[in-house]
Amino acid sequence: MRPSGLATPRELVNFLDQYVVGQETAKKVLSVAVFNHYNRVHANMRAMYYDEPPHLSGGNLSNNSKSGSGSNSPSPEPSHRMTNTIPMFEKSNVLVIGPTGSGKTLLAKTLANVLDVPFSVSDATSFTQVYVGDDVDTCVQRLLQAANWDPYKANMGIIYIDEVDKIARKSSGPESSRDVGGEGVQQALLRMMEGSIVNIPAKGPSMPAPTGARASRGQAMPAPVQWPDAYSVDTSNVLFILSGAFVGLENIIRQRTSKGSIGFTANLSNSERRPPSTSMPFFTPNSGSSDNAQATRDLLNDVEPADLVKFGFIPEFISRMPSITTLSPLSPMDLRRVLTEVKGSLVAQYTALFGYSGIEIRFTSPALDQICKRAAARGGGARGLRGIMETILLEPMYEAPGSWIKYVLIDEAAVSAQGIPRYWGSGKTEAAKFWSAWAEEEEDYVSTLS
């Protein structure tokens, strides 16, 4: 029986669709993992705190009370026989593989928001084994801060660690013993991912002095509140979601899956057919051709734990993440939906931003298409959209606030740097010209599609 109030995986996916574009497989994997995880947490908590222990059951106590009498009462059951026990479920952490700007962090953050559980984001590049950098316990400390320093709430939170591919083992030679940011960090993360008690020193502000510091005659001063020196967080019920771009992983998968042969009729692998490229191997699908993006996506879908071990992870670390999912680069059509359709879209944000200054801004459909094409060519996924929008809107954001400008139209010429944004002042006549210009652009766009 699932706990009341916990959304089903289908309901979680429907909620994610409002904020994240595409990535259907990743949404299903994360929703199922989160649903099963909190069902497991509920069952374990019930078994630990709410179920009646077998040695204190009422039946055994009644049988023991009658054991000395001469009645033919049944003998008590052996103490080793346990009935109706709930098994302790083990958790399944998740590994998310995908290029930058594909929605890895947004997926995890949105799930934490809908579940209303503490959520912390950490960067694995700052984790080190000794001497410098942050200790791996920092991610638990951030989770405790997100839970308002409540250890019980933090025990059931979600820890998201990004750039986990950066802690892969760099080498296997003698110098690997000084790799403080590689295998050593993996070993340190093992105990937390599997479940352990992490002691976090209290670093919060001290308790303020009570109001009315001077006590009246005959009345004792209230005792100051003693804050704990450290908090103990149990990570057994904490869900870990790890993510990274894993640059070069597709080459390892291609070497494993390619079947080479010798002779004039030999089947060459994709890496042998394609000329060598000097660009980054994983970053190119965001800005390359659709064929390359599809080939990379298909390769990453076939990832296996052995590929991750060859990438530089120890087998014990990979075994703690049984759920592995991949995210694909966003196409120009997906970027268009990120601009206009999802909740908190960029167009809605900039429209509201100009609205605070009493200015109305509109984007034509050709302008939006041009923005998405530029973002796809630049790379970086959804993150590249904001940089392009900032460049295009620099002049309107500088000129319009506090001036005569009340209406701004961004057309295709303004996006392609062949023109400038169009401005109109206040008044009904200016507003009519503004809407007429926007409608004319839209009619021409619709006619070109038909």
Side-chain angles (χ1 to χ4, degrees):
M1 180 179 179
R2 68 184 178 96
S4 59
L6 181 60
T8 63
R10 188 179 297 275
E11 293 172 348
L12 291 175
V13 170
N14 293 335
F15 187 83
L16 290 175
D17 288 337
Q18 302 177 21
Y19 295 89
V20 184
V21 174
Q23 319 298 357
E24 302 302 330
T25 302
K27 291 177 182 176
K28 291 180 180 179
V29 171
L30 286 171
S31 299
V32 170
V34 167
F35 178 78
N36 291 337
H37 172 74
Y38 283 101
N39 272 336
R40 162 195 171 274
V41 171
H42 176 77
N44 290 346
M45 289 295 182
R46 184 180 179 187
M48 293 173 60
Y49 300 110
Y50 298 104
D51 279 357
E52 192 175 23
H55 62 281
L56 295 179
S57 60
N60 289 342
L61 290 176
S62 62
N63 290 335
N64 291 336
S65 62
K66 297 178 182 179
S67 59
S69 63
S71 60
N72 296 327
S73 59
S75 59
E77 295 183 359
S79 59
H80 66 272
R81 186 176 301 173
M82 299 172 60
T83 58
N84 298 330
T85 59
I86 300 179
M88 299 297 288
F89 299 100
E90 296 181 0
K91 64 177 177 178
S92 298
N93 301 307
V94 185
L95 175 63
V96 182
I97 301 173
T100 178
S102 57
K104 301 186 295 295
T105 307
L106 183 59
L107 281 170
K109 187 181 298 184
T110 306
L111 282 174
N113 289 335
V114 68
L115 294 172
D116 193 20
V117 295
F119 178 77
S120 70
V121 180
S122 300
D123 195 341
T125 54
S126 63
F127 293 160
T128 56
Q129 184 183 7
V130 288
Y131 301 126
V132 293
D134 295 333
D135 190 77
V136 292
D137 295 346
T138 306
C139 59
V140 182
Q141 180 182 353
R142 294 192 179 106
L143 181 67
L144 188 60
Q145 291 175 347
N148 198 18
W149 299 95
D150 186 350
Y152 181 79
K153 293 176 61 177
N155 290 344
M156 295 178 289
I158 297 177
I159 292 180
Y160 178 82
I161 303 178
D162 198 7
E163 304 291 346
V164 73
D165 54 321
K166 302 302 187 299
I167 63 172
R169 184 170 45 205
K170 304 301 186 298
S171 62
S172 58
E175 67 276 5
S176 62
S177 60
R178 298 185 62 84
D179 185 14
V180 297
E183 184 176 351
V185 177
Q186 299 180 40
Q187 295 285 355
L189 284 172
L190 278 178
R191 59 183 179 88
M192 288 199 308
M193 295 174 59
E194 192 173 36
S196 63
I197 305 296
V198 181
N199 293 319
I200 303 298
K203 296 182 179 180
S206 58
M207 183 68 180
T211 57
R214 178 176 298 179
S216 60
R217 182 173 299 178
Q219 184 178 3
M221 289 288 294
V225 178
Q226 297 294 331
W227 290 92
D229 295 333
Y231 297 90
S232 297
V233 179
D234 186 4
T235 61
S236 300
N237 292 326
V238 175
L239 179 63
F240 285 81
I241 301 178
L242 282 66
S243 71
F246 287 84
V247 176
L249 180 61
E250 73 278 7
N251 296 330
I252 297 176
I253 302 174
R254 186 181 294 112
Q255 293 176 2
R256 175 177 57 84
T257 56
S258 62
K259 296 179 175 61
S261 57
I262 300 175
F264 292 102
T265 60
N267 294 325
L268 298 179
S269 62
N270 293 332
S271 60
E272 293 172 335
R273 292 194 188 106
R274 192 164 47 245
S277 176
T278 58
S279 58
M280 296 178 63
F282 199 96
F283 197 73
T284 48
N286 273 337
S287 58
S289 64
S290 58
D291 295 338
N292 291 339
Q294 183 65 34
T296 303
R297 186 183 306 116
D298 294 340
L299 282 172
L300 292 176
N301 289 334
D302 297 333
V303 63
E304 294 183 358
D307 302 323
L308 296 172
V309 172
K310 193 173 182 180
F311 187 83
F313 288 94
I314 58 178
E316 297 86 352
F317 186 79
I318 297 301
S319 63
R320 267 66 174 187
M321 298 177 292
S323 298
I324 302 176
T325 184
T326 58
L327 274 67
S328 57
L330 298 179
S331 64
M333 186 177 299
D334 295 333
L335 294 174
R336 174 67 181 269
R337 294 181 58 192
V338 173
L339 269 179
T340 58
E341 295 183 13
V342 298
K343 287 188 176 181
S345 63
L346 285 178
V347 170
Q349 293 181 31
Y350 283 103
T351 301
L353 186 63
F354 276 87
Y356 285 129
S357 301
I359 302 168
E360 183 174 354
I361 185 171
R362 301 285 294 184
F363 296 82
T364 64
S365 296
L368 294 175
D369 289 344
Q370 189 66 23
I371 291 173
C372 296
K373 291 178 181 178
R374 287 182 57 182
R378 174 186 291 189
R383 289 192 180 95
L385 288 173
R386 183 173 292 275
I388 295 175
M389 293 285 284
E390 288 287 338
T391 303
I392 296 172
L393 299 178
L394 175 62
E395 290 299 326
M397 288 189 293
Y398 177 78
E399 299 287 348
S403 66
W404 60 271
I405 300 173
K406 297 299 178 182
Y407 300 95
V408 179
L409 180 64
I410 305 298
D411 54 10
E412 186 177 7
V415 175
S416 59
Q418 297 178 357
I420 60 174
R422 303 166 66 179
Y423 305 118
W424 287 267
S426 60
K428 294 183 179 179
T429 304
E430 293 292 300
K433 293 180 180 179
F434 166 72
W435 285 103
S436 176
W438 178 80
E440 183 180 354
E441 293 281 346
E442 294 300 310
E443 289 178 0
D444 294 341
Y445 178 76
V446 173
S447 62
T448 56
L449 295 180
S450 60

